[in-house]
Amino acid sequence: MEFANTQRKPFLWNREYGRKYDLSKALKFDFKATNRAIIDEPPGRIDTDEKKDSIKTNLYNFGRNTNYRHVANASFTVPLSKIPVTNWLSATTRYGATFDWIGSPLGFQDANDVYIGHTIKNSNTKSINGQANMVTLYNKVKYLKKINKKYGKRRGNKPRTPEYKIVQWEKDNLTFKARKPKKFFHNLETKDITSVEVFDSKGKKIQGKIFIESKNKITYELKNDLKNARIVIQARKKRGLDGAKLLELTARTAMSVRKVSITYTENNGSTLPGYLPTAKVIGQNFDVRAPGYDFLFGWQPGHSFLIDNKTDEEIKRDREDWLDSRADLDWITSSPSQFNSFKQSNTQNLNIKATVELLPGLRLDINGTRNYTNNYSEVFRDTSGGGQYVHLSPIESGNYTISFFSLGSAFATDNDEHVSRIFEAVANNRAGVSREWADEYSQRNPGASNPIQGFGNTSQEVLIPAFLEAYGGVSSSTVLFDPFMKVPKPNWRVTYD
């Protein structure tokens, strides 16, 4: 019995390479790439010179690429710590980029034998991190450094012992009668008498009995008569808030802000299907100069490279121009069977933190956050196969969150009908917001017969400003056209240890 001969030919060639280079201690760069390729073999046994030569040729060409990916990062630490005036500040910036070329399977063609193409995508990450160590700034002043050292120590769970001072009162040329108590008004304002000493004219200490009668009065009795005597009274008294102490506490309170940090991160990405050129060195196809070094290192079609200050209309126009020009260069398939979407995404995260230490162990953490996400997709394809590229089915979506301050309305009570007063304020604010929209619409469209139409009490253009004004005290006019507030409101957490 004979069995059919089968050959399994997973001849793979995976290559990884990278480079890390520190241009200086502050400026660093790294690059890492991974390329996956397959060495295609003729069918059946490799038993002829022609088949062997075919494999050798594929090896010389480094195989057929199936996937390529690289990651590049550059970071720069601003040398603020090297300057005495700014060594309390630190700042770091970082830019990262990725590129992926995803090859399509062999024979990935439509019914007219038109190649449907590969997929390329890229992304970039931009981040800025700044921190201010306020304690280092305060310690530049010797007096403030002394206070920070004095009040910065933690005592754990041990009780704090009160601070006391020793006060003293004395009087001389005194006469004592034997067995007859003598009264002394020392005005030390304390009963915590630590010692009472009586000396004769030669300085010899004479023993006697002491009776503490009040904060300012004692009685002292000797066994024998004594002339030209001197008495010294010492007491322990709790230290009050004298001028120096009050100044120290005031300075420590003024230095409550201990640390401030700001972090901003932005992520962007693009995905282009139907891409025809293959990936070669670092993903670039030098024969047709595609996709370009800008795309390889994170540039987003339609947007600016580092700081994006374009309007939505400019972004839409430039993005479509880029797609159209790539189609003109024959980089994008003309197959009508290409239905995958061109996609772009943008994410922005802002985080602000501050640490306030009102007292040693009593800490107030203040933070504000803002997160914004925007996703865009469209189908860019040749509908006829004759070079008539169109932009179809544009879809835009996103998310937005921001820290909000609503303490002023958090404890509002209900009215006599048990209806929330804040909810009533939202309902009442809608009329004013609707009028603002109508006034603006009338100015832009003088011929409008009923400008308030379309801005009713249930439209989001009216409800959002009305809500923000009632719950957060935000003027509706400031968020009328753009409810996405740029600056987050502070939230806080108090801890004591």
Side-chain angles (χ1 to χ4, degrees):
M1 183 175 182
E2 293 186 3
F3 293 94
N5 233 347
T6 59
Q7 288 83 27
R8 184 171 178 268
K9 303 181 178 183
F11 197 163
L12 306 178
W13 191 355
N14 298 332
R15 302 185 294 274
E16 294 185 3
Y17 50 95
R19 172 67 171 168
K20 184 177 181 181
Y21 186 64
D22 296 344
L23 299 175
S24 66
K25 291 184 178 180
L27 182 59
K28 300 180 180 180
F29 174 80
D30 65 83
F31 179 86
K32 184 178 180 180
T34 301
N35 192 94
R36 302 186 184 281
I38 185 170
I39 307 300
D40 293 318
E41 301 182 39
R45 292 180 178 272
I46 309 301
D47 51 6
T48 66
D49 292 338
E50 183 180 359
K51 291 182 178 181
K52 294 178 182 179
D53 290 340
S54 174
I55 296 177
K56 290 180 181 179
T57 301
N58 289 335
L59 283 171
Y60 292 149
N61 293 329
F62 296 98
R64 174 174 57 85
N65 287 342
T66 59
N67 186 280
Y68 171 82
R69 174 180 175 81
H70 72 225
V71 179
N73 294 294
S75 63
F76 177 66
T77 302
V78 184
L80 297 172
S81 60
K82 308 300 181 182
I83 306 173
V85 179
T86 60
N87 63 358
W88 56 283
L89 297 171
S90 62
T92 302
T93 61
R94 180 182 176 275
Y95 180 84
T98 67
F99 172 77
D100 289 87
W101 180 91
I102 304 171
S104 60
L106 282 176
F108 190 50
Q109 299 171 342
D110 62 13
N112 297 319
D113 293 332
V114 178
Y115 199 51
I116 296 178
H118 317 289
T119 300
I120 59 171
K121 57 183 179 179
N122 73 349
S123 68
N124 68 49
T125 300
K126 295 172 278 189
S127 65
I128 300 175
N129 182 278
Q131 190 174 86
N133 190 331
M134 304 303 294
V135 177
T136 303
L137 176 62
Y138 303 145
N139 288 344
K140 291 182 178 294
V141 180
K142 289 185 178 180
Y143 176 71
L144 299 181
K145 183 177 182 180
K146 177 183 176 182
I147 294 175
N148 276 324
K149 186 176 180 181
K150 180 178 181 180
Y151 292 94
K153 296 179 179 179
R154 300 281 183 92
R155 296 176 179 266
N157 295 324
K158 296 181 179 179
R160 293 179 177 270
T161 57
E163 296 183 356
Y164 291 91
K165 61 180 178 179
I166 302 299
V167 291
Q168 181 175 298
W169 181 87
E170 61 180 87
K171 190 174 182 181
D172 52 11
N173 296 323
L174 301 174
T175 299
F176 287 86
K177 297 293 185 179
R179 304 294 181 181
K180 186 176 181 180
K182 189 175 181 66
K183 297 179 180 180
F184 295 96
F185 294 89
H186 53 74
N187 295 322
L188 295 178
E189 291 291 336
T190 179
K191 286 186 176 182
D192 193 0
I193 305 298
T194 56
S195 68
V196 176
E197 297 176 327
V198 175
F199 303 92
D200 60 15
S201 56
K202 295 181 179 180
K204 182 180 178 182
K205 185 176 179 181
I206 308 300
Q207 297 293 332
K209 292 182 179 181
I210 180 176
F211 303 94
I212 301 174
E213 299 189 13
S214 69
K215 289 183 177 182
N216 297 307
K217 177 183 174 182
I218 69 166
T219 301
Y220 204 77
E221 179 183 337
L222 297 179
K223 293 182 180 180
N224 303 310
D225 293 342
L226 183 63
K227 294 181 178 181
N228 296 325
R230 182 170 65 92
I231 187 171
V232 178
I233 302 174
Q234 287 188 342
R236 193 174 69 159
K237 187 176 181 180
K238 191 173 181 179
R239 190 182 300 276
L241 283 177
D242 53 16
K245 181 77 171 180
L246 184 61
L247 182 61
E248 288 181 356
L249 292 176
T250 302
R252 177 61 182 82
T253 304
M255 295 187 292
S256 297
V257 181
R258 315 301 280 178
K259 186 183 296 183
V260 179
S261 65
I262 300 176
T263 303
Y264 175 78
T265 305
E266 182 176 334
N267 297 292
N268 301 280
S270 295
T271 301
L272 176 64
Y275 179 76
L276 295 177
T278 57
K280 295 186 178 180
V281 180
I282 67 168
Q284 177 80 342
N285 188 310
F286 294 98
D287 297 333
V288 293
R289 293 184 290 184
Y293 293 108
D294 51 0
F295 194 90
L296 289 173
F297 291 96
W299 173 73
Q300 302 299 300
H303 296 261
S304 302
F305 191 72
L306 290 178
I307 301 175
D308 199 355
N309 53 5
K310 293 183 179 180
T311 63
D312 292 341
E313 291 77 11
E314 291 173 335
I315 292 173
K316 180 178 182 298
R317 180 199 64 203
D318 294 345
R319 178 172 54 214
E320 291 184 354
D321 289 346
W322 184 84
L323 288 171
D324 292 336
S325 64
R326 303 312 102 171
D328 293 339
L329 293 171
D330 295 329
W331 290 6
I332 300 178
T333 181
S334 60
S335 171
S337 300
Q338 201 295 108
F339 292 101
N340 292 324
S341 298
F342 168 79
K343 300 178 181 179
Q344 282 192 318
S345 63
N346 170 256
T347 302
Q348 302 171 14
N349 298 315
L350 175 64
N351 197 338
I352 303 173
K353 293 183 179 180
T355 301
V356 180
E357 194 173 276
L358 303 172
L359 295 171
L362 180 61
R363 189 176 64 194
L364 175 65
D365 294 316
I366 303 174
N367 68 85
T369 58
R370 180 182 183 272
N371 302 313
Y372 173 84
T373 301
N374 180 269
N375 299 307
Y376 174 82
S377 68
E378 69 170 56
V379 177
F380 181 69
R381 56 188 287 262
D382 184 350
T383 56
S384 64
Q388 301 297 320
Y389 290 87
V390 292
H391 303 267
L392 302 174
S393 305
I395 300 175
E396 192 168 3
S397 63
N399 294 293
Y400 170 82
T401 60
I402 193 169
S403 56
F404 192 65
F405 185 84
S406 59
L407 184 63
S409 60
F411 303 100
T413 58
D414 296 345
N415 59 19
D416 296 337
E417 285 76 28
H418 304 290
V419 177
S420 169
R421 299 181 189 274
I422 304 301
F423 182 79
E424 273 191 329
V426 174
N428 296 333
N429 290 343
R430 293 181 299 171
V433 176
S434 182
R435 284 194 299 271
E436 290 184 64
W437 272 112
D439 293 341
E440 181 66 26
Y441 189 80
S442 296
Q443 294 178 11
R444 299 188 182 189
N445 303 274
S449 58
N450 186 10
I452 204 169
Q453 186 178 6
F455 304 112
N457 289 337
T458 58
S459 65
Q460 67 177 15
E461 290 84 358
V462 173
L463 283 173
I464 293 176
F467 175 88
L468 294 176
E469 186 170 13
Y471 280 89
V474 180
S475 175
S476 60
S477 60
T478 61
V479 293
L480 194 64
F481 301 106
D482 186 8
F484 301 111
M485 296 181 293
K486 301 297 187 294
V487 180
K489 305 296 183 181
N491 293 168
W492 67 88
R493 182 180 65 181
V494 179
T495 57
Y496 181 76
D497 52 10

